[in-house]
């Protein structure tokens, strides 16, 4: 694990607030924010102060728990309590559309509350606290297992290309795509990471490079358009990326630009792996065409990171935040259960059966 453990989200004093490490300020400032109100929680997700599919899920779980506590303090109970809780859950879910973990986590809490309908509201709130903490604990366990499975795909000295950020900041511990690297580093296995800077919001430059440098991992930052070069010159033995939603046929949504990396990897014969917990698999989604893709403000492209705008004012921009990598380009999907191989419609179905039988 990183020398200095990063706690991206946690419950505040007396479980009355949620404290988040503001990822929009990294790597220049390590700043924490405390949120207690629903609009500030939504803002934190939309502004990517908390980001990364599993981290958004963990955050949403904590938020709904804190909001539930406020509802009892306002004297709500019974159906009125459940109704308000469900409405607040829906608002949280609507804050970003692509990462399925958000709806998944909110659904876990609202279903738990619904199962306890009739119980005193204090009992329900305490059960929601357990559920929210379980989401985080389970994510840690899943990331640890994903790290082990992912590490089994690498040899000492390998170069790994990654896109966006799927490390501890985006999850609970270890991360998904960065988990095998951090675990390998802990075990003294030499690995080299090439991190795509990841335009337009630079999660690779700001977050992945920062996390790996903090952990002492050999990391080289490249611009997104250099990925072909490093694959061509033999520096890359595998691509490891995270995911925001995996469809039942193996199509995988991740940060915009991921599908381009997969196409390059196919061209150069480099294996391309998607790593994520099973909470990121949307079993109800048949294929990538059904994954909602968030579109963000064009200002992120025109001016956000520049001292002055780098595009003519008012120029049209198209800024999808995610793309879908076709399952035919994916060598394996690594979950806490192991590595699913193509054909994914079969291997993921088997995984679903395994999970459902538990
Ligand atoms: O817009 P972001 O920064 O939330 O996008 C994050 C990603 O695309 C990650 O790769 C994905 O959520 C996996 S995080 C383990």
């Amino acid at each position: 694990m990183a020398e200095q453990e990063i706690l991206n989200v946690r419950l505040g004093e007396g479980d009355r607030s949620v404290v988040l490490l503001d990822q929009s300020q990294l790597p220049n400032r390590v700043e924490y924010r405390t949120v207690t109100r629903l609009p500030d929680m939504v803002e934190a997700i939309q502004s990517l102060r908390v980001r990364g599919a599993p981290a958004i899920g963990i955050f949403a779980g904590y938020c709904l728990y804190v909001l539930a506590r406020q509802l009892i303090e306002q004297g709500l109970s019974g159906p009125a309590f459940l109704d308000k809780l469900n409405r607040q859950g829906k608002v949280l879910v609507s804050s970003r559309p692509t990462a399925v973990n958000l709806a998944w986590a909110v659904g876990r809490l609202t279903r738990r509350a619904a199962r306890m309908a009739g119980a005193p509201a204090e009992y329900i709130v305490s059960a929601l606290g357990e559920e929210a903490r379980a989401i985080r604990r389970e994510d840690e366990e899943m990331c640890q297992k994903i790290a082990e499975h992912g590490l089994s795909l690498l040899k000492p000295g390998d170069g790994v290309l990654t896109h966006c950020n799927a490390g501890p900041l985006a999850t609970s511990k270890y991360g998904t795509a960065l988990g095998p690297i951090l675990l390998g580093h802990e075990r003294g296995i030499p690995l080299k990471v090439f991190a795509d800077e990841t335009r337009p919001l630079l999660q690779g430059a700001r977050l992945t490079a920062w996390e790996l440098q903090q952990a002492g991992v050999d990391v080289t930052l490249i611009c997104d358009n250099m990925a072909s070069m490093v694959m061509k010159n033999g520096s890359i033995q595998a691509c490891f990326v995270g995911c925001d939603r995996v469809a039942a046929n193996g199509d995988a949504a991740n940060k915009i630009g991921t599908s381009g990396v997969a196409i390059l990897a196919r061209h150069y014969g480099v294996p391309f792996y998607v790593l994520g917990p099973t909470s990121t698999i949307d079993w109800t989604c048949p294929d990538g065409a059904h994954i909602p893709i968030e579109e963000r403000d064009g200002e992120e492209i025109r001016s956000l990171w520049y001292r002055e705008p780098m595009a003519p004012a008012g120029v049209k921009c198209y800024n999808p935040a995610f793309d879908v990598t076709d399952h035919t380009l994916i060598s394996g999907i690594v979950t806490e259960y192991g590595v699913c191989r193509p054909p994914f419609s079969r291997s993921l179905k088997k995984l679903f059966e395994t999970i459902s039988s538990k």
Side-chain angles (χ1 to χ4, degrees), residues 48 96 98 198-203 255-257 293-305 315-323:
L48 273 57
R96 283 190 90 187
T98 305
T198 316
R199 284 274 293 151
L201 292 181
L202 305 180
Q203 288 91 334
K255 180 51 55 194
I256 189 73
I293 300 293
E294 176 184 9
E295 210 179 310
R296 296 182 64 89
D297 191 340
E299 232 28 76
E300 291 179 348
I301 301 178
R302 280 189 290 264
S303 61
L304 186 65
W305 302 112
V315 71
K316 261 198 293 179
C317 289
Y318 173 48
N319 186 15
F322 298 93
D323 62 20

Side-chain angles (χ1 to χ4, degrees), residues 51-54 96 164-166 170-171 176 203 243-244 254-255 322:
R51 35 73 44 208
R96 283 190 90 187
C164 195
N165 172 264
T171 61
T176 56
Q203 288 91 334
C243 45
D244 288 82
N254 192 48
K255 180 51 55 194
F322 298 93

Side-chain angles (χ1 to χ4, degrees), residues 42-356:
V42 169
E43 192 276 337
I45 298 174
Q46 288 178 339
S47 304
L48 273 57
R49 298 185 197 285
V50 177
R51 35 73 44 208
I56 297 171
I58 296 165
F59 179 67
Y62 284 163
C63 288
L64 203 57
Y65 164 47
V66 165
L67 292 169
R69 185 175 279 281
Q70 292 170 8
L71 295 180
I72 333 183
E73 284 169 4
Q74 289 158 16
L76 264 68
S77 60
F81 168 81
L82 287 179
D83 183 54
K84 187 82 198 265
L85 189 75
N86 283 332
R87 278 192 280 133
Q88 292 185 322
K90 281 194 183 123
V91 174
L92 280 172
V93 170
S94 69
S95 49
R96 283 190 90 187
T98 305
V100 73
N101 309 60
L102 176 55
W104 170 84
V106 167
R108 261 179 78 155
L109 265 72
T110 50
R111 281 195 302 276
R112 175 103 186 231
R115 282 199 301 275
M116 294 180 73
E122 301 76 48
Y123 288 18
I124 303 183
V125 170
S126 137
L128 295 185
E130 268 171 35
E131 197 72 37
R133 289 190 166 91
I135 291 174
R136 176 166 201 118
R137 194 180 55 247
E138 288 166 24
D139 190 71
E140 268 190 45
E141 288 161 9
M142 291 192 281
C143 285
Q144 169 100 34
K145 288 181 183 152
I146 290 168
E148 291 284 358
H149 295 306
L151 188 57
S152 74
L153 301 167
L154 298 173
K155 310 181 297 310
D158 275 358
V160 178
L161 186 135
T162 191
H163 190 78
C164 195
N165 172 264
L169 284 167
T171 61
S172 49
K173 194 179 172 187
Y174 283 108
T176 56
L178 298 190
I181 317 270
L182 291 168
L183 187 65
H185 182 71
E186 271 182 10
R187 292 183 182 166
I189 300 168
L191 297 165
K192 295 188 178 73
V193 178
F194 287 79
D196 277 355
E197 63 174 352
T198 316
R199 284 274 293 151
L201 292 181
L202 305 180
Q203 288 91 334
R206 296 187 303 106
L207 309 176
T208 298
W210 183 75
E211 279 187 318
L212 293 179
Q213 197 184 51
Q214 295 260 316
V217 172
D218 181 342
V219 56
T220 305
L221 180 63
I222 56 170
C223 298
D224 299 336
N225 52 8
M226 298 168 191
S228 171
M229 182 76 160
V230 291
M231 286 195 214
K232 186 174 185 174
N233 71 18
S235 303
I236 308 298
Q237 282 64 52
C239 297
F240 278 12
V241 298
C243 45
D244 288 82
R245 192 183 296 236
V246 177
N249 73 341
D251 290 349
N254 192 48
K255 180 51 55 194
I256 189 73
T258 304
S259 66
V261 172
I263 292 166
L264 291 174
R266 172 59 53 89
H267 179 78
Y268 291 113
V270 173
F272 179 92
Y273 294 101
V274 171
L275 297 90
T278 46
S279 54
T280 308
I281 303 177
D282 183 352
W283 307 102
T284 67
C285 179
D287 56 44
H290 291 82
I291 299 178
I293 300 293
E294 176 184 9
E295 210 179 310
R296 296 182 64 89
D297 191 340
E299 232 28 76
E300 291 179 348
I301 301 178
R302 280 189 290 264
S303 61
L304 186 65
W305 302 112
Y306 300 115
R307 223 172 286 150
E308 52 188 333
M310 281 296 136
V315 71
K316 261 198 293 179
C317 289
Y318 173 48
N319 186 15
F322 298 93
D323 62 20
V324 174
T325 299
D326 196 85
H327 61 279
T328 57
L329 297 169
I330 300 173
S331 314
I333 298 176
V334 185
T335 74
E336 68 274 22
Y337 288 90
V339 185
C340 286
R341 296 282 184 182
F344 295 114
S345 46
R346 195 179 315 150
S347 56
L348 288 178
K349 184 164 181 268
K350 203 161 156 228
L351 177 59
F352 179 71
E353 284 160 7
T354 307
I355 295 170
S356 311

